[in-house]
């Protein structure tokens, strides 16, 4: 497939600290790519570099084969960017904020109005379009920022927490829109909502310390953990003595506790019975067995033991 | 880009029309009452024997315009920038930083010129300026240069300074120079010789001198005007570089 975005040894430093360390990867045209990772992993920084918000300290970024540093003015037209923080002009209405951005990109008034009406209907923003940005909630502002980023019809859409501050209904509508845009536009986003990432992606990049430690579709990323199961047993009373005793069961991986709940991983379902045997006779309140998800993959302790 | 910025300024005016209109009507009347009505009884005539009313008219208009040009620049380059709004996102539009600074400055100058023209028409009815149409157009030409220069000063300050306290103090200091130290309301000859010499070298003073010579002696001193135009052009380019550095783009 044709590459839409290509990074070659891209690095970013802040004073002596490495924020991004020589990243090299490509993103296919029309794909939906999620970037996840811990705080300070470099997720937002990579988005800012891709959007042209900041320049890399070394390396090159290419959009549709054009170097973003050398062909700055051309590549900027290709990108729509939704920053994490709300950055609308507080004394303009939402519609005026969006139209202003369209005019900056020399989109004619009729086209701006058509796109504004189209996207506002999809994100249910029509009732707020004539409100000043300073007088609406952050979630509504975020929806307006998404429309603003689409008003010049960019090929690449870059979004930092696209559903940040939104209520459940707005989150659903936003993801519906993103899914519709996928294929036509390359979409790269950062989100801390792992359940949303699990639902909406073609590829997930897991960042850690400015590097990509995992890259692929969730199913592929979970392949190495396919034998693992996640177990949870709630005891009436989980004493320290019992917890330590259960931790010593040799087939138990990465055990931890939350109150009276004993949480652990195991390669086979039979591990569950090993623990039940070890805890025989003690009153239990609840049992739970789950397939592994993205959250477990990002659990550094488990990833350290089981994935790398 | 200028068209987009103009539309935005119009929307901002429209969204706060009544308070802005009241302020812009009160503003020139307040300046006229507080400056001109008192100063005409103190100075009476300029050193060149021109009635103070007439001599100070271009200066008062310039000072009003310099105050009108401040809010849009402060708003976009300082207030919204330090709060992480608008400016960084505008900078993602396909324009160079030089074009961006030039466009913001042009729109601010245009806004100041519109208010200035309105004010000057009002003042012509309050003061016997004796200005012909030709002289009024001459005055407007110099005002564009003044606003270009003052606008660049404010942009540099807004980009350079991060602290609100320092920024406001620096702004007040700049206005002290504009009002008292540029020869717009008081001739520099009133100052001690050494201070007069230093003040006369400032670009604002050179422009003030060129304006008074052109309007009251019919002498157009290109040797004073051309360097000012070059300074404005170079300063705009410099501000573009400063903006790029500030935005790390």
């Amino acid at each position: 497939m044709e590459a839409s975005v290509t990074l070659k040894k891209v690095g970013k430093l802040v004073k002596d600290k490495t924020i991004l360390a020589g990243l090299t990867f490509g993103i296919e045209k029309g794909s939906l790519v999620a970037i996840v990772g811990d705080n300070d992993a470099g997720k937002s920084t990579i988005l800012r570099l891709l959007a042209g918000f900041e320049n890399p300290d070394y390396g090159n970024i290419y959009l549709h084969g054009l170097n973003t540093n050398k062909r700055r003015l051309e590549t900027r037209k290709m990108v729509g960017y939704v920053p994490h923080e709300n950055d609308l002009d507080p004394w303009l209405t939402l519609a005026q904020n969006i139209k202003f951005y369209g005019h900056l990109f020399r989109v004619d008034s009729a086209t701006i109005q058509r796109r504004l009406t189209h996207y506002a209907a999809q994100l249910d923003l029509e009732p707020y379009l004539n409100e000043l940005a300073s007088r609406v909630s952050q979630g509504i502002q975020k929806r307006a920022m998404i429309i603003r980023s689409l008003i010049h019809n960019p090929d690449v859409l870059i979004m930092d927490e696209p559903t940040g501050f939104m209520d459940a209904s707005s989150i659903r509508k936003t993801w519906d829109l993103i899914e519709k845009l996928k294929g036509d536009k390359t979409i790269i986003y950062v989100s801390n909502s792992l359940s949303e990432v699990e639902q909406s992606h073609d590829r997930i990049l897991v960042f850690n310390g400015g590097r990509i430690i995992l890259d692929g579709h969730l199913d592929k990323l979970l392949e190495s953990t396919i034998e693992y199961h996640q177990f949870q047993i709630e005891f009436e009373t989980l004493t320290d003595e019992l917890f330590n005793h259960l931790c010593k069961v040799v087939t138990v991986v990465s055990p931890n506790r939350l109150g009276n709940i004993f949480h652990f991983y195991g390669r086979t379902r039979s591990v569950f019975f090993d623990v039940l045997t070890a805890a025989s006779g003690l009153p239990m309140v609840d049992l739970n067995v789950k397939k592994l998800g993205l959250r477990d993959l990002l659990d550094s302790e488990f990833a350290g033991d089981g994935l790398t | 880009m200028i068209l987009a910025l103009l539309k935005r300024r119009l929307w901002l005016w429209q969204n706060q029309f009544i308070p802005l209109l009241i302020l812009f009507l009160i503003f020139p009347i307040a300046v006229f009452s507080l400056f001109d009505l008192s100063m005409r009884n103190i100075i009476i005539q300029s050193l060149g024997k021109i009635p103070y009313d007439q001599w100070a008219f271009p200066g008062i208009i310039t000072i009003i315009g310099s105050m009108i040009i401040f809010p849009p620049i402060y708003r976009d380059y300082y207030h919204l920038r330090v709060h992480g709004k608008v400016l960084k996102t505008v900078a993602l539009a396909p324009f160079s930083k030089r074009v961006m600074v030039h466009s913001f400055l042009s729109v601010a100058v245009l806004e100041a010129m519109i208010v200035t023209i309105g004010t000057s028409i009002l003042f012509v009815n309050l003061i016997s300026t004796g200005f012909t149409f030709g002289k009024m157009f001459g005055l407007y030409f110099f005002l564009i240069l003044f606003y270009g220069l003052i606008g660049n000063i404010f942009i540099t300050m807004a980009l350079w300074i991060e602290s609100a306290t320092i920024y406001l103090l620096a702004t007040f200091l700049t206005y002290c120079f504009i009002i008292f130290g540029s020869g717009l309301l008081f001739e520099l000859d009133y100052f001690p010789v050494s201070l007069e010499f230093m003040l006369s070298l400032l670009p604002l003073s050179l422009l003030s001198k060129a304006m008074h010579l052109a309007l009251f002696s019919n002498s157009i001193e290109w040797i004073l005007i051309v360097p000012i135009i070059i300074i404005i052009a170079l300063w705009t380019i410099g501000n573009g570089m400063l903006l790029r550095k500030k935005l790390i783009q």
Side-chain angles (χ1 to χ4, degrees):
Chain A
M1 250 182 121
E2 195 185 338
S4 177
V5 180
T6 310
L7 282 83
K8 286 188 179 167
K9 294 181 180 170
V10 170
K12 182 80 184 167
L13 308 167
V14 174
K15 291 179 184 168
D16 289 340
K17 192 182 172 194
T18 301
I19 306 296
L20 294 174
L23 294 177
T24 298
F25 64 90
I27 290 171
E28 293 83 19
K29 203 171 175 180
S31 59
L32 175 60
V33 178
I35 299 177
V36 296
D38 294 338
N39 292 337
D40 217 19
K43 308 184 300 280
S44 294
T45 306
I46 190 72
L47 289 198
R48 285 200 295 273
L49 297 186
L50 289 171
F53 222 69
E54 286 179 23
N55 285 335
D57 289 314
Y58 55 90
N60 292 303
I61 299 171
Y62 299 87
L63 292 180
H64 291 193
L66 301 177
N67 187 317
T68 55
N69 200 28
K70 290 176 184 163
R71 309 282 289 273
R72 197 179 289 262
L73 301 186
E74 287 160 273
T75 52
R76 286 202 166 167
K77 290 178 192 166
M78 297 176 186
V79 179
Y81 179 55
V82 182
H84 181 255
E85 302 295 335
N86 288 325
D87 67 343
L88 298 173
D89 192 319
W91 298 107
L92 287 181
T93 65
L94 297 182
Q96 287 166 344
N97 266 291
I98 295 164
K99 286 177 182 174
F100 169 57
Y101 209 63
H103 290 305
L104 273 180
F105 280 81
R106 294 183 181 143
V107 183
D108 64 86
S109 298
T111 309
I112 290 174
Q113 190 56 52
R114 185 167 44 78
R115 288 181 186 153
L116 174 59
T117 310
H118 173 71
Y119 291 124
Q122 297 206 34
L123 291 183
D124 212 5
L125 197 67
E126 290 136 318
Y128 308 103
L129 283 176
N130 293 320
E131 295 282 340
L132 289 180
S134 56
R135 292 192 188 151
V136 295
S137 73
Q138 299 228 55
I140 294 169
Q141 288 188 48
K142 193 83 180 192
R143 279 188 267 162
M145 285 162 68
I146 292 173
I147 299 177
R148 183 185 66 178
S149 72
L150 289 164
I151 206 72
H152 61 294
N153 195 27
D155 292 329
V156 180
L157 188 57
I158 293 166
M159 300 189 285
D160 201 342
E161 295 287 354
T163 56
F165 315 108
M166 287 186 194
D167 57 29
S169 157
S170 306
I171 289 173
R172 186 174 46 76
K173 282 175 181 148
T174 302
W175 284 115
D176 285 348
L177 175 64
I178 291 172
E179 288 289 342
K180 277 183 202 161
L181 294 170
K182 190 181 95 169
D184 181 37
K185 299 181 192 306
T186 307
I187 303 171
I188 306 163
Y189 72 94
V190 160
S191 178
N192 283 316
S193 172
L194 299 181
S195 57
E196 289 175 29
V197 173
E198 283 179 344
Q199 296 295 314
S200 305
H201 71 274
D202 292 325
R203 181 177 168 192
I204 299 172
L205 300 175
V206 181
F207 269 62
N208 191 308
R211 294 171 201 279
I212 298 170
I213 55 165
L214 294 169
D215 178 359
H217 192 275
L218 181 63
D219 293 341
K220 190 188 156 205
L221 298 183
L222 291 173
E223 255 175 23
S224 58
T225 68
I226 204 82
E227 295 172 346
Y228 281 92
H229 290 79
Q230 186 189 166
F231 305 96
Q232 219 168 265
I233 303 173
E234 187 177 354
F235 291 92
E236 221 171 72
T237 312
L238 177 61
T239 59
D240 290 345
E241 194 184 341
L242 175 60
F243 177 72
N244 292 333
H245 177 61
L246 296 178
C247 287
K248 283 178 189 158
V249 175
V250 288
T251 48
V252 165
V253 175
S254 196
N256 59 61
R257 66 181 294 178
L258 183 68
N260 288 327
I261 298 171
F262 181 59
H263 181 276
F264 62 100
Y265 298 91
R267 272 188 186 278
T268 59
R269 283 172 177 266
S270 64
V271 179
F272 192 52
F273 298 104
D274 296 342
V275 174
L276 287 180
T277 309
S280 62
L282 292 167
M284 294 174 199
V285 177
D286 198 11
L287 305 170
N288 196 2
V289 182
K290 273 200 313 189
K291 197 182 153 189
L292 293 195
L294 191 54
R295 167 70 61 198
D296 308 295
L297 204 62
L298 296 181
D299 180 332
S300 57
E301 190 185 354
F302 180 70
D305 287 348
L307 297 174
T308 56
Chain B
M1 189 176 201
I2 290 178
L3 269 177
L5 292 172
L6 269 177
K7 276 188 182 170
R8 190 180 68 127
R9 287 304 304 170
L10 276 174
W11 287 328
L12 286 166
W13 266 80
Q14 188 186 313
N15 295 348
Q16 302 162 76
F17 185 68
I18 301 296
L20 278 176
L21 186 70
I22 292 168
L23 271 176
F24 280 112
L25 283 174
I26 292 173
F27 196 53
I29 294 167
V31 172
F32 170 74
S33 312
L34 298 174
F35 272 114
D36 195 72
L37 290 183
S38 57
M39 289 308 296
R40 68 163 72 166
N41 296 323
I42 299 168
I43 297 183
I44 306 180
Q45 275 189 339
S46 74
L47 296 173
K49 307 289 180 205
I50 300 160
Y52 185 75
D53 257 359
Q54 284 182 31
W55 187 87
F57 169 64
I60 291 173
I61 296 286
T62 309
I63 286 163
I64 290 170
S66 74
M67 290 171 178
I68 301 295
I69 205 170
F70 176 73
I73 291 174
Y74 163 78
R75 183 181 190 281
D76 288 321
Y77 279 84
Y78 185 78
H79 182 74
L80 293 178
R81 179 181 67 79
V82 297
H83 289 97
K85 292 188 186 292
V86 187
L87 193 62
K88 267 207 150 188
T89 319
V90 169
L92 293 182
F95 299 99
S96 68
K97 299 294 173 289
R98 183 181 56 76
V99 170
M100 211 175 131
V101 168
H102 176 258
S103 304
F104 271 100
L105 183 63
S106 301
V107 172
V109 169
L110 184 65
E111 193 171 329
M113 281 306 295
I114 290 168
V115 176
T116 296
I117 289 168
T119 307
S120 61
I121 292 166
L122 177 75
F123 272 35
V124 165
N125 294 302
L126 294 172
I127 311 167
S128 53
T129 59
F131 270 38
T132 59
F133 270 117
K135 275 196 175 178
M136 288 299 270
F137 281 112
L139 170 63
Y140 296 149
F141 166 74
F142 281 103
L143 288 180
I144 291 171
L145 297 183
F146 263 112
Y147 299 158
L149 200 56
I150 292 167
N152 268 313
I153 295 171
F154 286 144
I155 290 174
T156 303
M157 280 165 40
L159 288 174
W160 211 317
I161 300 169
E162 293 295 323
S163 151
T165 308
I166 296 172
Y167 182 73
L168 290 173
L169 286 175
T171 304
F172 293 144
L173 185 66
T174 307
Y175 273 115
C176 282
F177 273 97
I178 294 171
I179 295 169
F180 303 110
S182 61
L184 284 169
L185 287 184
F186 312 102
E187 287 169 278
L188 297 180
D189 306 63
Y190 289 120
F191 288 98
V193 179
S194 55
L195 187 57
E196 180 203 344
F197 175 72
M198 282 192 285
L199 289 174
S200 66
L201 295 177
L202 295 175
L204 282 172
S205 310
L206 294 174
L207 194 53
S208 173
K209 187 176 176 186
M211 180 171 74
H212 282 114
L213 283 171
L215 296 176
F216 298 110
S217 308
N218 295 323
S219 162
I220 297 173
E221 298 288 336
W222 289 107
I223 200 156
L224 294 173
I225 298 166
V226 171
I228 296 294
I229 295 172
I230 294 169
I231 287 172
I232 293 169
L234 291 177
W235 204 330
T236 308
I237 294 168
N239 275 334
M241 290 158 73
L242 183 60
L243 178 65
R244 188 170 178 174
K245 194 178 169 205
K246 205 73 189 182
L247 297 181
I248 332 168
Q249 286 182 350

